[in-house]
Amino acid sequence: MTEQPNEDTPPAAGPRPETRPEGRPNTPRGPQRHAKPQPSGSPPDPPSPRVEFAELLEAELVRRWPGRSVGLDAVHRYAMIPPGKLLRPSLVLHAALAVGGELGAVLPAAVGVEGAHVGSLLHDDIIDRDTQRRGRAAVHTEFGPAQAVVAGNALFFSWFAALSECRRLGVPADRVERAMAVQAEAGVAICRGAFDELAMRGDLELGVGAYVAMARAKTAVLLAAACRVGAILGGGDAPTTELLGDFGDHLGICFQIRDDVLPYDPIAARTTGKPSDSDVRNRRPTLPVLIAHRRADPKSRAALRHALLDETEPELALCRIRAVLERTGALDTAHAMADEYARRARALLTRLPATAHVAHVRALALLTRPAH
């Protein structure tokens, strides 16, 4: 169980081709096209985690869902292309390469986890009645709710179908079997997290511990699974696989907290590509709201409760909640908690064996930095 940071004590600041078996093509262990010339004897530049695999992954998405796609494939193309941050598939690839795996053999698994993530977003947008995603019409708005449900379901199955592709590319059967078990367990946990979040609507008496448990199931589980699957398919041993999974767990909670803070930052909220009032409309008590409710005086607490539970104008409610968050310092505390989870994630990477590929360990560490 991950230790929970203390919300009332802000944490200390932290730093924000080889020959393959017969019949298979030579595959590089990592992207090569953008490598910079290095002075003799100097270590290579660490890869940039936000762009390292972006071109490779997007090209693979386009190959699978080309412009001529029709029917279900057309819905999938719309949902998957252009892609988002590609965090989860990047975790699969970096984890696999860090333990000595081969890029080509695990690429299908990376695409599969992105499909599972996007499938969950299709369903989330229907549940939350959000009409936009990534700056354009959500899939259910563009194609219809029933079509979005079916398309999301198919993307979940594609996550598992991807593992059979890895097997055909030479990943040993026992690794594929272990990865399958990780994915299946994660899939159930993600659904449980989404279910629990629905049950928490309107409950301002939730403790921070209950919020963290929900965030772990809803978000962190998939990031942890991405790291574990990458490490398993890449040939990592059990301790290394679990360590990388714990890294993904901490990273996932950090990302969920940062995502929950965005609607209350007017500048950052404009960069998300989805409605900033979604949490308010859905009466969702996110971490900064829970912290503010716990700290507020009776008058501010009543104002917060009215804004979240009774206000009929979402934009007005958002403004009033922002005011209470600022008065109570809740946003700063939430940011500090996110930074603490990021620090703990980086600390875990220092415990990786000396055989771990340094460039990919550095890339994983860089993924803990805020995007904004």
Side-chain angles (χ1 to χ4, degrees):
M1 180 68 70
T2 303
E3 182 183 353
Q4 175 189 314
N6 185 337
E7 64 155 282
D8 292 319
T9 307
R16 298 206 38 159
E18 61 181 304
T19 302
R20 300 282 298 281
E22 186 176 356
R24 295 168 57 201
N26 291 343
T27 304
R29 290 188 179 273
Q32 307 290 322
R33 71 180 72 175
H34 296 303
K36 296 179 181 179
Q38 297 290 327
S40 177
S42 68
D45 289 340
S48 170
R50 305 204 189 276
V51 299
E52 173 75 2
F53 297 118
E55 289 185 13
L56 175 69
L57 287 165
E58 187 162 5
E60 184 64 13
L61 295 177
V62 171
R63 186 186 71 80
R64 290 168 183 261
W65 293 287
R68 61 182 180 276
S69 297
V70 297
L72 179 62
D73 288 334
V75 182
H76 284 165
R77 178 181 170 85
Y78 182 90
M80 302 285 290
I81 304 169
K85 298 182 183 70
L86 296 171
L87 170 65
R88 292 150 190 85
S90 293
L91 288 174
V92 173
L93 297 179
H94 282 306
L97 296 176
V99 300
E102 296 179 352
L103 180 65
V106 299
L107 183 58
V111 174
V113 76
E114 180 68 2
H117 170 58
V118 172
S120 72
L121 299 182
L122 268 59
H123 290 180
D124 285 349
D125 288 343
I126 296 171
I127 293 169
D128 294 341
R129 297 160 300 165
D130 287 342
T131 59
Q132 284 192 308
R133 171 68 63 177
R134 295 173 179 168
R136 60 178 181 171
V139 170
H140 71 91
T141 305
E142 184 75 11
F143 295 92
Q147 288 81 355
V149 170
V150 173
N153 292 345
L155 287 172
F156 292 136
F157 283 111
S158 74
W159 189 22
F160 292 90
L163 293 180
S164 66
E165 292 186 51
C166 294
R167 179 70 186 96
R168 290 195 296 271
L169 289 170
V171 176
D174 64 313
R175 297 183 193 175
V176 171
E177 182 180 357
R178 288 162 54 206
M180 185 80 72
V182 169
Q183 292 188 180
E185 183 179 350
V188 174
I190 292 164
C191 293
R192 192 177 301 280
F195 188 91
D196 290 345
E197 185 180 44
L198 292 172
M200 292 175 178
R201 283 181 172 176
D203 187 357
L204 284 166
E205 302 299 331
L206 282 174
V208 170
Y211 165 88
V212 170
M214 180 277 299
R216 171 170 286 114
K218 176 189 173 185
T219 301
V221 159
L222 186 55
L223 273 69
C227 291
R228 287 191 175 100
V229 166
I232 290 169
L233 298 178
D237 60 23
T240 301
T241 297
E242 287 309 301
L243 194 152
L244 285 168
D246 290 344
F247 166 84
D249 175 80
H250 285 71
L251 182 65
I253 296 173
C254 165
F255 268 61
Q256 184 59 55
I257 295 173
R258 288 173 179 166
D259 190 61
D260 287 346
V261 169
L262 285 178
Y264 304 106
D265 181 336
I267 297 176
R270 291 198 291 268
T271 71
T272 64
K274 63 180 182 178
S276 61
D277 63 358
S278 179
D279 289 340
V280 172
R281 281 189 291 103
N282 288 286
R283 303 168 62 199
R284 188 173 291 129
T286 55
L287 180 64
V289 174
L290 292 172
I291 294 172
H293 186 261
R294 175 177 169 179
R295 292 180 177 176
D297 58 38
K299 182 178 179 181
S300 292
R301 186 174 290 184
L304 190 62
R305 180 172 293 275
H306 174 80
L308 187 67
L309 305 184
D310 302 318
E311 179 56 63
T312 58
E313 295 293 333
E315 283 300 323
L316 181 58
L318 197 59
C319 289
R320 289 177 173 171
I321 292 174
R322 281 173 179 156
V324 178
L325 298 186
E326 290 175 2
R327 286 199 297 273
T328 59
L331 289 177
D332 288 340
T333 300
H335 278 299
M337 286 184 65
D339 290 345
E340 172 65 5
Y341 276 108
R343 183 196 66 77
R344 293 182 181 189
R346 289 192 296 272
L348 285 169
L349 296 179
T350 66
R351 293 163 46 191
L352 286 171
T355 54
H357 194 289
V358 173
H360 294 287
V361 174
R362 289 175 180 171
L364 290 168
L366 288 172
L367 283 169
T368 65
R369 296 181 178 179
H372 301 281

